[in-house]
Amino acid sequence: MYTIPKGTKDVLCEDAYKWHYVEKTAKETAAKFGFREIRTPVFEHTELFLRGVGETTDIVTKEMYTFLDKGNRSITLKPEGTAGVARAFVGGVQQNGTLPYKMYYITPVFRYERPQAGRLREHHQFGVELYGSESPLADVEVISLAKSLFDELGLKDLTLNINSIGCSACRANYNAALKKYLGERLGEMCKECQSRFEKNPLRILDCKEEKCKEITANAPKVIDFLCDDCKSHFEGLKAGLDAVGIEYKVNPQIVRGLDYYTKTVFEFVSNAIGAQGTVCGGGRYDKLVEEVGGKPTPAVGFGMGLERLLIVLESQSLIDGVEKETVDYYLASIGENALEFNLRLAAKLRAKGKSVEFDLMNKSVKAQMKYANKIEAKSVIVVGDDEISSRKVRIKNMQTGEETETDIDSI
Ligand code: ATP
Ligand code: MG
């Protein structure tokens, strides 16, 4: 027997309905905001992620699935959804597209991480991307979309944390102050942070090592270094969220794990599932499109972890009421004639849009009924020689137990 690769999961047929429910709700919510689906490859040239995600991020330094293909090209399985979308936008949309361009995706994501509850090596994200608008109202739209989805699913106990990490101008002032603070404590920090210090000091704020976290807890906050433009953008975001009645906390600690963020960053955190509580992370990335070779295009979006979302939904018993995927009719057969009859009846019912199963295992009638119960068929029709000659059958509603007699030809 083969074992499944570490950090990956199968979704078995019994559970697929939960995924379909979440995916369908996500797609419908995206449509309400005028976002359309975009699909990009599962793998890209490694270079795209080095540029897009950033060479000093955890994702690029530790987590990517990178390999040489048979043509000796360096290929990487997507470790996040945004860089591929930006590449597709630049190559396929930017020339003739009208802005804003609003996209969503549902995609597998691959990261070589230490697997634990809510942390996998292959996980799935629902993500949205809004390209072309600088307005803080675009940020509000994206956050509202996530919030609407959570509301539609019935989620409780979610906190929205927001912050602004400014533009490159504010970042220059901030980096100087941060380096001054960290410089005096560099010896106490982990090796990686020591190397981040010169290349990308902001990244140190995202370090997961305890000793580094202790040090950064009292570091200067980027929000205190915003230029006038970034400040008023952040004010616009807060005013917009207030206007639509979305509650938030300003949390100056969040910087997010990808280098492409500018101005707004945000997270929805669930208090229901402990350490891996961040269900959705996003923000603005006004430089990314340029970074991957396009014309300057402001952008904002988020990525939502679907496994984590499902963990929260299950912990709040919000999946219990979701309808399972079952057949409309199970046709039980008594004898050879009935089986052949049911074969034809199934075809007829399917042509009318019904879902139908009948016995393929030569089971006894009792075993067929047991099976119909097990698969939770909505109705069962038992067909034997009597039913065929009288052309009358009884349809049993499996939920209520009620039976109704009907003409075979009028089913
Ligand atoms: P974390 O801080 O938990 O590692 P992150 O900052 O790396 O999260 P993002 O890159 O913003 O996360 O990804 C968006 C969302 O995808 C996260 O909020 C989370 O819900 C989900 N996610 C990220 N990594 C994993 C993983 N390894 N397994 C399952 N879900 C994940
Ligand atoms: Mg991570």
Side-chain angles (χ1 to χ4, degrees), residues 370-390:
K370 214 169 142 190
Y371 175 82
N373 253 318
K374 172 104 197 196
I375 62 165
E376 298 181 45
K378 293 192 184 89
S379 297
V380 172
I381 303 176
V382 183
V383 177
D385 290 340
D386 290 350
E387 282 77 11
I388 298 172
S389 63
S390 70

Side-chain angles (χ1 to χ4, degrees), residues 59 63 79-80 111 113 118-125 206 208 256-258 261 267 276 278-282 303-308:
I59 290 181
E63 298 173 359
E80 54 86 61
R111 295 182 186 178
E113 298 201 71
R119 195 172 290 286
L120 297 160
R121 289 185 176 171
E122 181 192 33
H123 73 275
H124 296 78
Q125 287 189 12
D206 203 39
K208 306 288 189 293
R256 315 273 327 120
L258 306 105
Y261 286 112
E267 291 178 348
Q276 261 59 252
T278 309
V279 178
C280 173
M304 188 182 292
L306 296 182
E307 280 82 0
R308 286 191 199 174

